[in-house]
Amino acid sequence: DVANFARRRQTELKHGRISMLATMGYITPEITGKFPGYLSPSAGLKFSDVPNGLAALSKVPSGGWAQMALYAAYCEVSQDQSPGTPAAAGDFGWKVLTSADPEEKTKK
């Protein structure tokens, strides 16, 4: 079924991107350090107080998790990613690393 294959490909692209972001989110603080200042001034929680990995789940306030969930929801609904659109194929119009030339994109 072609429609089912297209949906699975779209889902694989999305999950792959989320996995890459999660990996960078785990590695970057280890290499570059953490932001200075407070993650939650009202709770007295500094960025340096939050550990990496799964241990952070219990340290980040619920308001922080709500903000992350709302932002993820905004990213999901802010662009049409229905089958047949360029976004469904993973093309969000960013030409930073790819060429604008259709022949060059086909070759790559």
Side-chain angles (χ1 to χ4, degrees), residues 47-106:
F47 284 104
S48 59
D49 296 337
V50 179
N52 284 352
L54 294 175
L57 291 174
S58 63
K59 301 291 185 195
V60 176
S62 58
W65 290 116
Q67 288 176 355
M68 287 186 257
L70 288 172
Y71 180 69
Y74 168 75
C75 290
E76 283 292 317
V77 299
S78 65
Q79 187 173 25
D80 180 23
Q81 296 182 22
S82 58
T85 63
D91 184 5
F92 292 98
W94 296 3
K95 302 300 178 204
V96 177
L97 298 176
T98 60
S99 174
D101 183 22
E103 290 184 24
E104 187 71 22
K105 283 176 71 174
T106 307

Side-chain angles (χ1 to χ4, degrees), residues 21-38:
L21 284 172
T23 301
M24 290 307 299
Y26 190 86
I27 294 172
T28 302
E30 292 286 332
I31 296 172
T32 63
K34 297 179 181 181
F35 290 123
Y38 286 89

